[in-house]
């Protein structure tokens, strides 16, 4: 069985320098749903740092965000200038990342980017630390590292332990995605629609362009010529890249549901080697960053409420798909707060690897 292994060369002598001097950190897009969560995660994990700078659009200049018992000012980003510091966590749109990240790394600051801008760039590692941390390699210069799409991170956190054990031949993913996946304005409008409904007013639809409460709809990303929307395409292409397995067959249907935060995914697997649900449960119970919640007697399985605000990806409804050859078909249901593990937490875990400030909780998968 393949063990969890993160490149120890990622913790190279070069990074010892950063260990000795905690990095100056910038959060670019600090006022958004992901940026705010990044600040919380840095605080929660006691990430050692020098100065923290919060950057957003001019609209937010002067705002203050809470951090470690105090509050930090938000500054306006200068789009034509590199971001200063040792480490920049980017939580802005892909166009801004595309223009700002290269000049920032050229100025000596490593960028961990949450947008889709660099995810298919072969020169940019696409990293889920527990899954392919080794792909980070030993980094000797400031560079760009990409965070995968949130739905991809959630699916691969749950499925990779099984893939390592017996191989996945085909994966069918159906997502139930929360409003927070579209950022702060999406969450705010879902809450506003709830207030509108209670007040008996017409629903505010400026952002979602449709009623969202008491409704669900196909993911709001553009649909390509092949009929898949961009979220579905990302699940397919990023899975192949992260697993380094261009042959793996993946298909997805991505749906928005009126949940405030935390995505859910129904995952149907065709396995290369046989695995019973009990064996799968054991593998998942041992995997880092996963929590198994699988209680058929009480109909207790993962729910987005369980995952909201939590770091663990929660997995349950682990059962055989009896429409497939015996031992070869498996169903899972997974919930995870995509603002945490699907975005901010994953980025900070990458930052921990890059700087050598590895959390004790990560030691299990680092030392194996
Ligand atoms: N939400 C998720 O679950 C999730 C998960 C994975 C990846 N991502 C990716 O993470 C990125 C951020 O998403 P989000 O959900 O946090 O979006 P969001 O809530 O809409 O936040 C966007 C952030 O970008 C800033 N911004 C926008 N235009 C700017 C400009 N011209 N100059 C400087 N700052 C600007 C905003 O600042 P103002 O507040 O000043 O406008 C805000 O801080 C996106 O690329 C998204 O695809 C999101």
């Amino acid at each position: 069985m393949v063990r969890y292994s993160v490149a120890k060369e990622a913790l190279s002598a070069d990074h010892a320098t950063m260990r000795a001097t905690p990095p100056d950190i910038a959060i670019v897009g600090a006022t958004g749903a992901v940026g705010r969560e990044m600040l919380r995660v840095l605080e929660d994990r006691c990430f050692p740092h020098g100065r923290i700078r919060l950057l957003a659009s001019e609209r937010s200049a002067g705002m203050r965000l809470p951090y470690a018992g105090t509050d930090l000012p938000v500054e306006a980003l200068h789009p034509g200038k590199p971001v200063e510091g040792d480490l920049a966590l980017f939580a802005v749109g892909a166009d801004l990342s595309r223009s700002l990240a290269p000049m920032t790394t050229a100025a000596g600051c490593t960028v961990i980017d949450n947008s889709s801008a660099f995810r298919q760039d072969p020169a940019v590692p696409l990293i889920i630390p527990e899954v392919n941390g080794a792909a980070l390699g030993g980094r000797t210069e400031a560079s760009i590292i990409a965070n995968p799409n949130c739905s991809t991170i959630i699916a691969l956190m749950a499925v990779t332990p099984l893939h390592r054990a017996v191989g996945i031949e085909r994966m069918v993913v159906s997502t139930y995605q929360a409003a927070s996946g579209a950022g702060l304005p999406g969450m705010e409008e879902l809450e506003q629609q709830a207030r509108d409904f209670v007040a008996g007013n017409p629903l505010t639809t400026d952002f979602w362009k449709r009623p969202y409460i008491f409704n669900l709809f196909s993911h709001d990303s553009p649909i390509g010529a092949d009929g898949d929307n961009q979220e579905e395409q990302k699940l397919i292409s990023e899975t192949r890249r992260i697993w380094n397995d261009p042959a793996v067959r993946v298909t997805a249907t991505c749906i928005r549901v009126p949940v405030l935060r935390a995505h859910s995914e129904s995952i149907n697997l065709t396995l290369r080697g046989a695995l019973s649900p009990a064996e799968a449960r054991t593998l998942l119970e041992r995997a880092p960053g996963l929590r198994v919640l699988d209680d058929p007697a009480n109909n207790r399985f993962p729910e987005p409420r369980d995952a909201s605000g939590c770091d663990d990806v929660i997995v349950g409804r682990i059962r055989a798909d009896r429409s497939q050859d015996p031992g070869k078909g498996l169903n899972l249901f997974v919930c995870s707060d995509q603002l945490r593990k699907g975005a901010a937490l994953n980025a900070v875990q990458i930052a921990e690897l890059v700087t050598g400030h590895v959390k004790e909780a990560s030691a299990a998968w680092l030392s194996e």
Side-chain angles (χ1 to χ4, degrees):
M1 185 175 123
V2 184
R3 312 291 303 264
Y4 289 101
S5 66
V6 168
K8 301 221 170 56
E9 62 270 28
L11 313 176
S12 64
D14 180 64
H15 299 113
T17 319
M18 285 185 101
R19 261 202 299 274
T21 315
D24 287 343
I25 299 175
I27 300 181
V28 182
T31 51
V34 174
R36 286 169 191 255
E37 205 62 39
M38 284 169 163
L39 196 54
R40 284 186 210 112
V41 174
L42 289 174
E43 180 178 347
D44 291 351
R45 294 173 78 85
C46 301
F47 190 99
H49 58 81
R51 185 177 178 202
I52 296 187
R53 288 183 72 200
L54 305 182
L55 300 164
S57 76
E58 279 188 10
R59 294 180 289 273
S60 305
M63 186 190 269
R64 299 189 76 87
L65 293 176
Y67 178 75
T70 176
D71 53 42
L72 301 175
V74 177
E75 300 167 51
L77 177 83
H78 297 290
K81 279 192 177 172
V83 175
E84 290 169 16
D86 301 306
L87 188 63
L89 306 177
F90 273 39
V92 288
D95 287 344
L96 194 50
S97 284
R98 229 173 262 120
S99 67
L100 201 58
M103 69 172 96
T104 296
T105 55
C109 175
T110 286
V111 171
I112 300 171
D113 183 48
N114 270 265
S115 81
S116 59
F118 304 100
R119 289 183 190 146
Q120 292 306 323
D121 181 339
V124 174
L126 182 65
I127 300 292
I128 306 170
E130 297 91 333
V131 172
N132 69 333
L136 200 50
R139 315 202 74 70
T140 53
E141 289 176 356
S143 57
I144 303 171
I145 300 155
N147 228 35
N149 167 264
C150 49
S151 301
T152 312
I153 294 178
I154 294 165
L156 298 198
M157 281 292 291
V159 168
T160 300
L162 312 179
H163 182 53
R164 286 192 173 118
V166 295
I168 304 291
E169 187 177 311
R170 180 168 186 255
M171 176 163 80
V172 182
V173 184
S174 305
T175 70
Y176 310 74
Q177 296 188 222
S180 54
L184 218 46
M187 296 174 82
E188 285 169 354
E189 189 168 281
L190 179 55
E191 289 175 322
Q192 181 57 42
Q193 287 194 1
R195 284 192 291 272
D196 292 340
F197 177 81
V198 170
N201 293 330
L203 299 181
T204 307
T205 57
D206 300 335
F207 183 84
W208 290 108
K209 310 293 180 207
R210 50 163 57 83
Y212 192 2
I213 51 163
F214 312 129
N215 194 18
L216 54 81
F217 52 91
S218 186
H219 192 276
D220 43 294
S221 52
I223 296 180
D226 58 6
D228 286 340
N229 63 42
Q230 276 181 4
E231 188 79 357
E232 293 156 356
Q233 289 163 4
K234 288 172 190 171
L235 256 160
I236 298 165
S237 58
E238 293 179 21
T239 296
R240 289 179 177 153
R241 183 154 187 235
I242 292 165
W243 279 355
N244 194 21
D245 184 356
V248 68
R249 292 190 287 156
V250 181
T251 185
T253 300
C254 293
I255 302 292
R256 286 268 183 224
V257 296
V259 167
L260 215 44
R261 59 186 280 172
H263 290 352
S264 304
E265 300 182 11
S266 159
I267 303 178
N268 176 264
L269 300 172
T270 304
L271 307 170
R272 290 189 179 132
L275 196 68
S276 72
E279 289 167 329
R281 190 173 292 108
T282 302
L283 289 168
L284 297 172
E285 280 168 349
R286 288 184 187 154
L290 288 187
R291 177 154 63 91
V292 173
L293 176 55
D294 201 28
D295 180 3
N298 294 299
N299 195 28
R300 251 326 248 133
F301 301 109
E303 297 176 15
R305 285 179 66 97
D306 301 317
S308 292
C310 294
D311 288 348
D312 284 344
V313 173
I314 309 176
V315 56
R317 296 230 68 201
I318 304 162
R319 67 198 199 281
D321 170 5
R322 282 182 297 280
S323 72
Q324 302 195 56
D325 291 342
K328 297 292 183 72
L330 205 62
N331 287 307
L332 308 174
F333 190 74
V334 183
C335 289
S336 171
D337 188 330
Q338 92 294 335
L339 292 177
R340 300 283 294 191
K341 183 57 190 169
L345 172 64
N346 198 72
V348 172
Q349 287 176 311
I350 294 171
E352 288 171 350
L353 284 181
V354 168
T355 60
H357 297 302
V358 179
K359 286 297 296 174
E360 226 172 84
S362 309
W365 47 265
L366 273 173
S367 60
E368 281 187 50

